[in-house]
Amino acid sequence: MKKGLVVYKLYRALSYGVSPLIRLHLRWRWFLGLEHPLRWPERLGHPSQPRRPGPLIWFHAVSLGEGMIAIPVIKRCIRRMPHLNVLMTITTMSAFEVLSKSLPSEIILQFSPVDIPTSIHSFLDYWKPNAIVLMESELWPNLIMDASRNGITLALLNARMSKKSFKYWSGSVLLPLISLMLSKFSLIVPLSTEQGIRFQLLQAPPYIINFSGDLKYVIEDFGVNERGRNNIENLRLQLTQKQQQPNIMTIIVPRHLQQGREIARKLEKEGQNVLLRSQYEKFKPGTNIYVVDTLGELRQLYTLTPIAVIGGSLLPGLSGHNITEAAAAGCAVLTGCHVGHFSHMVLEMQRSNPLSVLQVSGKLELEKALLELFTNATLLEARGRAAKEVFFSLSCGILEKTWSLLNFHIFSRLSAEESKSLRL
């Protein structure tokens, strides 16, 4: 612990020293359009909304993916504890664009403060959260240590640590620091047994590590407005009509929407007939590629296709993508071998039913698998049905277990503190 405190003090001093550079960096990102044009000061801990009276829980997620897994948990918490105030923070513009339109009105949405002492202090001093629930891998020293110093309860949900990060933190210099940080948590819920072992090796107290399942299995269908739903139904009708023709429609959903136009231009140069989702136009004669350059519609779009090839898994370094949304839609799920922290999910589903997920090693195997699915309707139906059944089997009970853990380790403590303050 002493060595950990020494390393933390060095980190804190360094973060003080580079604070002016970080502020300049945020200004530069604002100039480039990477930060919100009006609300970027929130990144420095300056609030834009009032703090309501009563207990407040702060849920922090970085991007849209982490935000989406937090929503079902937040809704369950509000349903069980209606008097609870919930603050949710995100970092990316894409998360803000979707969540600001989709979150229930009672949830306060802000951009998260950068991990420099002044920003964290300003943020905590204004919002005064009773507890902080971090999603997946957000382990920032100033945030964690300042929260602990202020008596704020900490929890880490769907906790994960990549191989690269684990190697980084387990080195002789940083291991005392991460051990100190993890000791400040009241609850860590890893998304898999392998991840739980990694946190134990980083010296997290064993009694705070509990399992409930991967929250990616309980992502809700939200973020699509009425216009979007109507347009997807129109797409479904158009695709039904196209089935009478021999050509195949390929739907491409880039991870970052700004890549959509670049992909479309490249494909058009290669002679493909491409349509962009953001144009909301009907298919033209000969259209064979549909590029989705909008956010928050992936789950709905999966319902349009019998086959889903999950990107980011066919090449090393991209770490795969979430396969549960495709499985929930009843798609035949194909993925590559480079699945990163989604490997446990692939294994879980394959163990439940080998037909639920098909892994291919490269282009040739992918082509062979697609050809087999296109020419074998029985196999296509079996794979889609297996994926859907396994998804619902694995998702069962996760949300209730997560709530029970939060209630026992976090909310019961808040209730005890409230009762004590009332007696005083």
Side-chain angles (χ1 to χ4, degrees):
M1 287 296 178
K2 287 183 179 179
K3 190 175 180 181
L5 280 170
V6 170
V7 178
Y8 170 64
K9 286 178 180 178
L10 289 173
Y11 173 87
R12 190 173 181 84
L14 180 62
S15 59
Y16 259 124
V18 300
S19 293
L21 294 176
I22 291 176
R23 291 191 181 93
L24 283 174
H25 179 64
L26 283 174
R27 290 267 188 177
W28 177 245
R29 285 177 55 85
W30 168 80
F31 178 75
L32 294 175
L34 299 175
E35 297 288 341
H36 195 281
L38 299 176
R39 298 179 60 169
W40 70 270
E42 294 173 18
R43 301 281 281 136
L44 295 173
H46 304 310
S48 63
Q49 291 174 265
R51 203 284 194 196
R52 301 164 189 160
L56 182 142
I57 306 299
W58 170 18
F59 281 81
H60 172 56
V62 179
S63 62
L64 181 58
E66 288 89 350
M68 289 177 71
I69 67 172
I71 300 302
V73 179
I74 292 173
K75 287 183 176 179
R76 180 62 59 96
C77 293
I78 293 174
R79 195 178 305 129
R80 296 296 183 91
M81 303 181 70
H83 68 291
L84 193 67
N85 292 309
V86 175
L87 167 68
M88 184 176 185
T89 59
I90 38 81
T91 299
T92 66
M93 282 288 289
S94 59
F96 179 82
E97 287 173 15
V98 175
L99 296 177
S100 61
K101 301 171 186 174
S102 310
L103 285 178
S105 58
E106 62 266 34
I107 300 175
I108 305 166
L109 183 65
Q110 297 276 282
F111 283 97
S112 62
V114 293
D115 198 52
I116 55 177
T118 52
S119 299
I120 296 297
H121 174 76
S122 175
F123 190 93
L124 294 179
D125 187 58
Y126 180 83
W127 292 107
K128 293 182 172 58
N130 299 83
I132 301 173
V133 180
L134 305 176
M135 306 306 298
E136 295 212 345
S137 56
E138 282 299 277
L139 297 170
W140 292 100
N142 284 323
L143 167 59
I144 291 168
M145 296 302 291
D146 279 13
S148 176
R149 194 178 299 116
N150 283 279
I152 301 169
T153 309
L154 287 157
L156 184 63
L157 294 188
N158 235 44
R160 65 178 177 86
M161 181 78 61
S162 68
K163 289 182 180 179
K164 184 178 179 181
S165 295
F166 177 74
K167 185 177 180 181
Y168 171 81
W169 282 115
S170 58
S172 58
V173 175
L174 292 179
L175 181 59
L177 175 59
I178 191 66
S179 174
L180 175 66
M181 290 162 58
L182 294 176
S183 72
K184 305 302 180 183
F185 282 83
S186 296
L187 173 66
I188 294 176
V189 186
L191 60 79
S192 68
T193 304
E194 180 186 5
Q195 292 293 335
I197 292 170
R198 286 183 186 174
F199 280 96
Q200 283 191 322
L201 291 174
L202 293 175
Q203 300 179 3
Y207 58 86
I208 68 170
I209 297 176
N210 295 269
F211 296 89
S212 66
D214 191 341
L215 286 169
K216 288 186 176 67
Y217 285 113
V218 296
I219 290 176
E220 294 180 352
D221 182 13
F222 78 101
V224 182
N225 58 27
E226 193 62 32
R227 181 190 177 191
R229 288 192 186 93
N230 291 336
N231 192 268
I232 285 172
E233 288 308 310
N234 287 333
L235 281 177
R236 194 187 309 280
L237 179 61
Q238 293 177 62
L239 288 169
T240 301
Q241 294 168 349
K242 284 178 71 67
Q243 285 176 0
Q244 300 170 8
Q245 304 171 17
N247 58 324
I248 295 170
M249 171 65 71
T250 300
I251 302 174
I252 299 175
V253 187
R255 181 162 190 167
H256 304 289
L257 62 89
Q258 62 269 24
Q259 296 172 339
R261 291 187 181 274
E262 300 170 17
I263 292 170
R265 280 195 296 267
K266 183 177 179 182
L267 290 170
E268 283 170 348
K269 287 180 181 178
E270 295 175 359
Q272 303 294 336
N273 195 332
V274 184
L275 192 64
L276 281 166
R277 170 72 174 152
S278 60
Q279 295 174 348
Y280 289 97
E281 296 178 1
K282 288 188 175 182
F283 294 134
K284 301 169 186 175
T287 300
N288 59 346
I289 295 182
Y290 192 63
V291 178
V292 179
D293 56 341
T294 55
L295 289 169
E297 299 182 304
L298 184 57
R299 194 181 184 103
Q300 286 284 331
L301 288 165
Y302 274 133
T303 66
L304 301 178
T305 176
I307 302 172
V309 179
I310 310 301
S313 61
L314 295 168
L315 296 172
L318 298 178
S319 298
H321 292 134
N322 185 6
I323 63 176
T324 62
E325 291 174 300
C331 298
V333 180
L334 280 74
T335 185
C337 295
H338 307 285
V339 290
H341 65 271
F342 294 101
S343 59
H344 76 282
M345 186 181 287
V346 173
L347 288 172
E348 267 185 333
M349 293 187 68
Q350 287 178 332
R351 283 170 185 161
S352 296
N353 188 331
L355 288 175
S356 62
V357 183
L358 174 61
Q359 277 189 288
V360 296
S361 61
K363 181 182 176 182
L364 292 177
E365 278 196 17
L366 177 60
E367 290 175 350
K368 181 181 177 183
L370 288 172
L371 182 61
E372 187 177 16
L373 290 171
F374 282 130
T375 56
N376 189 334
T378 303
L379 178 62
L380 177 60
E381 183 184 354
R383 283 198 172 277
R385 185 173 60 252
K388 194 167 189 174
E389 289 174 354
V390 168
F391 166 79
F392 284 108
S393 172
L394 292 174
S395 63
C396 185
I398 291 176
L399 201 53
E400 190 58 39
K401 290 175 188 174
T402 303
W403 157 255
S404 297
L405 289 171
L406 284 173
N407 188 41
F408 181 80
H409 293 273
I410 306 296
F411 297 124
S412 60
R413 183 179 299 185
L414 296 185
S415 300
E417 289 174 357
E418 285 180 11
S419 301
K420 183 177 179 181
S421 63
L422 288 173
R423 287 198 300 272
L424 293 175

